[in-house]
Amino acid sequence: MEYAIPTSIVLVAGVVLALVAQWKGWRPSLAVTLTLGIAVRVLIMVLSARDTQWQPVDYVNSFQPAGVAILDHRDPVLESNGGWHFLPTVPYMYGLLLWLGIPWEYAGRIVTVVSDVVLIPLVGKLAGGRTEKLRAFQYACNPLAILVASVHGQVEPVSLVFGVAAYVVARGPGDWRRPEPLPWARLRLANRDLPLPWIPPGEIVRRIVRPSDEDRAATGRAVWAGLLMGLALCAKSWPVILVPALLMFLPGLRSRLVTLVATGVSPVFFLLTLPIGGWTEWRQLPEVLNTIGLRPSDVRPITGDWGWTALVSGGNWNLDPTPARIGQYMIYAAIVACLIWWRRADPVDVTIAILLSFMIFTPRLGAQYLLWFMPFLVARPTRWAWPAILGSSLWAAIGYIVLTQFHGTEWGELHAPWAISSLVLFPLLIAAIPWRRRLAETAPAPVPGEKETVPAT
């Protein structure tokens, strides 16, 4: 590939800058950070778009047909060669840019590059405090973010920009403190009160109808957080696993319920634009929903690129639906386990635990999936965060830059050991999980007789 060598140089330089910034405690201004982030991403985008020897397969065969389908007034989910399995939000953006006459080699990547640039200050906001500028700068230099947004043109940055924005809005101003725990029902057994996994219905109604002042004050940001998370789901379906941690940012049942309802608004709206706009017939909506569904039976059964399924298949693609379904159930079980184990932790730590657990148990993975945890792990790093970040970036870079130098049989011979080598990352991913950060500070209880202060929204 024509872009391989200059891209590699830029990525290595970015890694060096990120590590030196950590060592020296650099805190560049946002203007400097954004200038660097934009320059690097645009440079790599131009080099990738102008490459005449290779373009990502899904970028050409899946994303482009989805944008063309919008231009031709056809359903991008059902009539784009089966390549688009999400809501039509991003294809609408593709279609607009193509309609403006922008060549596809640039059009699709513009969407992801702009999203990733906006992510830079959001990662800083997510970190907050004294490290805000440092974390924003480190994300601007993140090699995997640059590869996914500027080379692959994958949609992950679009989901992440709305997902991280939802977290920032839900947390609100100031430092987040863990709210008082919900009033679980309790069972008296052997002189001990054991919590039961349900809340008395009367208590639920009372807390919704008569919320605390803090819960009522959080309603505004709860609405906006839900709408933003809904937009994240409009780009891809995977951010649904972020919703439980998002709810943990909010102080009570009412604000959490408001966020949950608001999260569904954007996906329903964009789903209905298909028949209202004439891209899809009303009778086809069940088929569209089935195509974008998250049930284990709906997951595409292509496995063997990563982890335990690569070991089972010898690193070759496998179309057997059984590993895909087993892996999907393993993911759901891991998410539930993380929510229980980290139920008192900072929501960002809960998110890191969930996303890293996903990487360990998933039966299928594209290199772009590794970007999911990057904004959160950069914003709130654990002791083993940077070994995991650099190891994941290196593994993905081999796939993006080295393997794509080969075609046909040669590519297949290299792909198998590359897929199996993903197992080397597992100890790093496991170590990067925030094992020691299971307990966040609780919001201080109001002093009796003292007027309760309500944080600004």
Side-chain angles (χ1 to χ4, degrees):
M1 295 178 298
E2 300 163 2
Y3 78 92
I5 294 178
T7 297
S8 301
I9 294 172
V10 170
L11 296 181
V12 171
V15 168
V16 172
L17 284 174
L19 294 178
V20 171
Q22 179 72 37
W23 177 38
K24 295 289 188 179
W26 288 351
R27 291 177 174 82
S29 67
L30 182 59
V32 171
T33 297
L34 284 176
T35 299
L36 173 66
I38 292 171
V40 169
R41 284 158 177 78
V42 171
L43 171 63
I44 302 303
M45 177 183 71
V46 172
L47 291 173
S48 301
R50 295 178 62 182
D51 192 287
T52 58
Q53 299 178 22
W54 176 82
Q55 292 293 321
V57 174
D58 50 1
Y59 184 77
V60 175
N61 295 337
S62 299
F63 306 165
Q64 185 176 13
V68 172
I70 293 297
L71 280 181
D72 295 341
H73 224 68
R74 295 181 290 108
D75 188 315
V77 178
L78 302 179
E79 300 185 34
S80 61
N81 298 327
W84 191 261
H85 298 265
F86 314 102
L87 288 166
T89 315
V90 174
Y92 287 156
M93 291 187 276
Y94 290 158
L96 174 62
L97 294 172
L98 291 172
W99 179 74
L100 291 173
I102 300 175
W104 172 249
E105 290 75 15
Y106 291 94
R109 291 181 171 100
I110 287 174
V111 174
T112 54
V113 165
V114 169
S115 298
D116 204 52
V117 167
V118 178
L119 257 176
I120 293 172
L122 285 175
V123 170
K125 289 293 183 184
L126 189 64
R130 296 179 62 253
T131 63
E132 177 177 339
K133 294 180 179 179
L134 169 63
R135 303 309 178 202
F137 179 79
Q138 288 180 317
Y139 187 78
C141 299
N142 189 284
L144 185 59
I146 297 168
L147 284 169
V148 172
S150 300
V151 176
H152 198 167
Q154 259 287 357
V155 189
E156 263 59 31
V158 184
S159 282
L160 283 168
V161 73
F162 290 114
V164 174
Y167 274 42
V168 172
V169 170
R171 183 176 61 190
D175 295 331
W176 178 84
R177 294 288 186 92
R178 181 167 57 89
E180 287 297 317
L182 295 174
W184 300 105
R186 307 188 76 84
L187 173 67
R188 186 74 175 175
L189 185 65
N191 297 323
R192 293 182 61 189
D193 281 337
L194 301 178
L196 297 176
W198 65 287
I199 305 173
E203 183 65 23
I204 294 177
V205 173
R206 188 191 70 79
R207 292 208 170 201
I208 293 174
V209 175
R210 299 178 60 188
S212 66
D213 291 343
E214 185 182 10
D215 197 11
R216 185 182 293 107
T219 301
R221 72 174 194 261
V223 171
W224 286 110
L227 291 174
L228 287 166
M229 184 57 72
L231 288 172
L233 289 168
C234 288
K236 273 196 166 183
S237 52
W238 70 263
V240 70
I241 64 179
L242 303 181
V243 173
L246 174 70
L247 299 179
M248 293 174 66
F249 275 116
L250 297 159
L253 276 176
R254 177 174 171 172
S255 55
R256 293 175 185 181
L257 181 60
V258 167
T259 293
L260 201 59
V261 172
T263 298
V265 171
S266 299
V268 171
F269 170 78
F270 279 101
L271 176 66
L272 294 180
T273 60
L274 286 172
I276 292 173
W279 284 279
T280 306
E281 296 182 19
W282 286 98
R283 62 179 177 83
Q284 292 179 300
L285 281 185
E287 187 178 354
V288 172
L289 287 170
N290 184 63
T291 302
I292 65 177
L294 288 174
R295 296 175 302 174
S297 58
D298 296 335
V299 176
R300 286 164 286 167
I302 302 175
T303 61
D305 263 346
W306 169 267
W308 64 272
T309 57
L311 190 62
V312 170
S313 68
N316 299 310
W317 283 337
N318 189 346
L319 294 177
D320 183 358
T322 301
R325 293 181 184 179
I326 292 174
Q328 199 76 357
Y329 286 120
M330 291 170 64
I331 290 171
Y332 296 153
I335 291 173
V336 172
C338 288
L339 290 173
I340 294 173
W341 190 256
W342 280 274
R343 64 188 181 277
R344 298 179 180 179
D346 186 290
V348 178
D349 290 334
V350 178
T351 303
I352 294 170
I354 287 174
L355 293 178
L356 289 176
S357 297
F358 179 99
M359 303 304 156
I360 293 164
F361 291 105
T362 181
R364 62 187 307 272
L365 182 137
Q368 71 275 6
Y369 289 20
L370 295 170
L371 185 61
W372 296 4
F373 61 82
M374 289 292 177
F376 306 100
L377 199 56
V378 169
R380 192 172 165 84
T382 59
R383 181 177 181 180
W384 286 87
W386 276 98
I389 290 170
L390 296 179
S392 300
S393 298
L394 176 61
W395 184 84
I398 292 172
Y400 279 123
I401 297 176
V402 178
L403 263 66
T404 49
Q405 301 284 339
F406 303 89
H407 304 279
T409 304
E410 288 183 309
W411 179 87
E413 291 175 352
L414 293 173
H415 173 270
W418 174 69
I420 295 174
S421 71
S422 62
L423 290 166
V424 176
L425 295 177
F426 278 40
L428 296 177
L429 298 178
I430 294 171
I433 292 175
W435 298 106
R436 298 184 179 181
R437 300 202 304 228
R438 292 180 52 209
L439 188 64
E441 283 191 76
T442 306
V447 178
E450 183 177 314
K451 186 177 179 180
E452 183 178 4
T453 57
V454 179
T457 57

